[in-house]
Amino acid sequence: MGSPRKSDRKALLDISAWLFNIITSVGIIMVNKALMASYGFTFATSLTGMHFVTTTIMTLVFRWLGLIQPSHLPMSEILKFAFFANLSIVGMNVSLMWNSVGFYQIAKLCMIPASCLLEVVFDQVRYSRGTKLSITVVLIGVAVCTVSDVSVNAKGLMAAVIAVWSTCLQQYYVHFLQKKYSLNSFNLLGHMAPVQAASLVLVGPFVDLWLTGKRIDKYDYAFPSVFFIALSCFIAVGTNLSQFICIGRFSAVSFQVLGHMKTIFVLILGFLFFGKEGLNLQVVLGMIVAICGMVWYGNASSKPGGKERRPLLPQRNNNGFTGEKIHDDEKV
């Protein structure tokens, strides 16, 4: 009798985690869009540094309150993660600057197959035919409603490749570190946020100067823009935490696939708040196809064999085989 109740509780927590991530992610995108479009604050890398400073303060407060327990994570792991995470942030910004919006969106879609490849190579994950087809449907739907003008150049392609792989490695690493060191989302964020905050606050202004030609210290700070910066930082705490929660509970691939629901919500809210320009039958059809693909993925990947780790071969000792196989049929 306890099993169904436990299953229901897990399903409720899973849905809550996704909703938390979707609400905070869409919220921060809309706030940042207003901040940059209406108030000309185009310092995206520095703003991300401010986000992690706020997140670091939050983790320190939570640790003081006893909500985050002491844990250990080797500095080498922290530095590797921070490298991939910061490279992802800078890479995505540079990719957007050097590429057309259409090619930038295609590069973002490539993160799903790239994440699948990482799971196949490092985690020995096996995908069913239905899971693969559902991912394809999601990619087609999002591509239809987001990709328009597509132009490619050598340096833009290089930036996109770096952005895609660094983002996928960073997201894979979140799941890997939580499992390897038995860390919860709060613990991992407590280890990572200070390093990312320090590095981005130092590097961010120079990256933004290179990307925009503007200095952040010369920006005309007024109450409305400062309010939106503060609001962005506040929401970012939830965004950072929810990302770690979702990837820890599921996987980087599931986070990418179902995460495209955020793209759909951002498009809808953009049309509602910033005008209906660009809203047409193609966009609507693309949204419908993408949502159908996400529902299909959720159903296909949750079925037995939909997405599982391959069983390992029998282990061998000095006297030959141990006589037992290590079966790892864990759902991911």
Side-chain angles (χ1 to χ4, degrees), residues 61-62 73 75 83 95 115 123 134 151 176 218 262 278 331:
V61 171
F62 278 16
L73 186 63
M75 181 55 67
F83 173 76
S95 177
S115 295
D123 292 341
S134 66
S151 60
F176 170 80
K218 299 295 184 182
K262 293 177 285 190
K331 289 274 187 70

Side-chain angles (χ1 to χ4, degrees), residues 134 136-146 260-261 263-265 267-268 271 279-297:
S134 66
T136 304
V137 171
V138 173
L139 292 173
I140 292 172
V142 177
V144 167
C145 63
T146 61
H260 277 297
M261 181 63 74
T263 304
I264 305 301
F265 280 129
L267 285 171
I268 293 172
F271 294 136
L279 180 61
N280 52 47
L281 181 61
Q282 175 183 323
V283 173
V284 174
L285 287 176
M287 289 180 182
I288 294 172
V289 170
I291 292 171
C292 290
M294 291 171 202
V295 173
W296 186 9
Y297 173 82

Side-chain angles (χ1 to χ4, degrees), residues 21-325:
N21 181 254
I22 288 173
I23 291 170
T24 54
S25 297
V26 173
I28 199 170
I29 289 171
M30 301 308 293
V31 169
N32 289 351
K33 187 171 182 178
L35 178 62
M36 294 181 182
S38 302
Y39 300 102
F41 190 87
T42 55
F43 310 101
T45 310
S46 298
L47 182 62
T48 307
M50 297 178 200
H51 291 168
F52 279 104
V53 169
T54 311
T55 303
T56 299
I57 295 171
M58 181 274 294
T59 59
L60 291 174
V61 171
F62 278 16
R63 185 172 285 123
W64 178 68
L65 292 173
L67 299 175
I68 299 179
Q69 302 303 318
S71 59
H72 172 70
L73 186 63
M75 181 55 67
S76 60
E77 301 279 33
I78 295 174
L79 293 177
K80 276 190 284 186
F81 178 89
F83 173 76
F84 289 131
N86 291 349
L87 190 61
S88 167
I89 293 165
V90 175
M92 293 303 291
N93 289 337
V94 173
S95 177
L96 182 58
M97 182 181 73
W98 284 352
N99 292 308
S100 65
V101 175
F103 187 75
Y104 173 79
Q105 292 292 346
I106 289 175
K108 287 178 67 176
L109 292 175
C110 290
M111 290 179 189
I112 293 179
S115 295
C116 288
L117 181 60
L118 289 177
E119 289 191 352
V120 169
V121 172
F122 294 115
D123 292 341
Q124 301 295 301
V125 169
R126 176 178 55 207
Y127 295 93
S128 69
R129 184 182 177 188
T131 303
K132 294 174 186 174
L133 289 174
S134 66
I135 291 174
T136 304
V137 171
V138 173
L139 292 173
I140 292 172
V142 177
V144 167
C145 63
T146 61
V147 177
S148 52
D149 60 313
V150 179
S151 60
V152 186
N153 59 78
K155 65 178 185 178
L157 177 62
M158 185 180 301
V161 170
I162 292 172
V164 167
W165 281 108
S166 58
T167 301
C168 293
L169 285 166
Q170 178 253 340
Q171 292 180 354
Y172 173 84
Y173 221 44
V174 169
H175 188 79
F176 170 80
L177 291 175
Q178 288 193 45
K179 298 300 180 186
K180 181 177 180 179
Y181 295 99
S182 300
L183 298 172
N184 62 34
S185 306
F186 286 97
N187 289 135
L188 185 58
L189 195 58
H191 287 293
M192 298 304 179
V195 178
Q196 283 196 260
S199 55
L200 288 172
V201 166
L202 289 173
V203 175
F206 299 102
V207 174
D208 290 329
L209 178 62
W210 174 46
L211 293 176
T212 66
K214 300 176 183 178
R215 289 173 49 176
I216 191 170
D217 59 314
K218 299 295 184 182
Y219 178 74
D220 183 21
Y221 293 92
F223 176 77
S225 59
V226 171
F227 171 79
F228 273 97
I229 291 170
L231 181 60
S232 178
C233 291
F234 176 76
I235 299 174
V237 173
T239 306
N240 291 329
L241 179 59
S242 65
Q243 180 188 14
F244 280 37
I245 291 173
C246 285
I247 296 177
R249 292 186 68 84
F250 310 105
S251 70
V253 173
S254 295
F255 182 74
Q256 285 284 346
V257 173
L258 299 180
H260 277 297
M261 181 63 74
K262 293 177 285 190
T263 304
I264 305 301
F265 280 129
V266 169
L267 285 171
I268 293 172
L269 291 175
F271 294 136
L272 290 175
F273 292 107
F274 298 100
K276 292 182 172 58
E277 183 181 352
L279 180 61
N280 52 47
L281 181 61
Q282 175 183 323
V283 173
V284 174
L285 287 176
M287 289 180 182
I288 294 172
V289 170
I291 292 171
C292 290
M294 291 171 202
V295 173
W296 186 9
Y297 173 82
N299 183 51
S301 62
S302 63
K303 288 181 177 178
K307 185 184 176 187
E308 294 178 340
R309 300 182 192 278
R310 292 192 185 97
L312 300 178
L313 294 174
Q315 284 191 314
R316 184 188 294 273
N317 59 20
N318 293 333
N319 299 320
F321 288 108
T322 60
E324 58 180 285
K325 283 186 178 180

